[in-house]
Amino acid sequence: SRYYQVKEMRIVDTSEDPSMAIEGDERLILVTCYPFDALTQGGPLRYLVIADPEPVALAVSGAGLLGSERFSL
């Protein structure tokens, strides 16, 4: 397993910034449409959750992390 910690959540407009990931980046970026209750699909807004991989020692010990901010893949 690899552990990640959420570092940022944001809303982006894909019509202004179509790039959301950088090749070779080890971050995990979860993307979904926004607003969540939109009546039509395919709008330009996206909700991003960006998580950084944890160092192995920190992931094993779990030191200083809240359960809601930490997850593994």
Side-chain angles (χ1 to χ4, degrees), residues 2-69:
R2 182 134 196 210
Y3 289 88
Y4 293 83
Q5 184 170 16
V6 173
K7 295 294 183 178
E8 182 180 354
M9 293 178 282
R10 66 179 175 198
I11 298 166
V12 298
D13 186 337
T14 58
S15 64
E16 294 176 12
D17 182 13
S19 64
M20 289 189 246
I22 300 170
E23 190 172 327
D25 192 344
E26 291 188 356
R27 294 178 304 168
L28 178 67
I29 302 174
L30 306 173
V31 181
T32 190
C33 295
Y34 188 85
F36 304 125
D37 60 352
L39 297 177
T40 60
Q41 56 185 335
L45 298 180
R46 300 291 179 268
Y47 185 80
L48 277 59
V49 178
I50 302 168
D52 291 335
E54 293 183 357
V56 174
L58 185 59
V60 171
S61 71
L65 300 174
L66 299 175
S68 62
E69 297 173 349

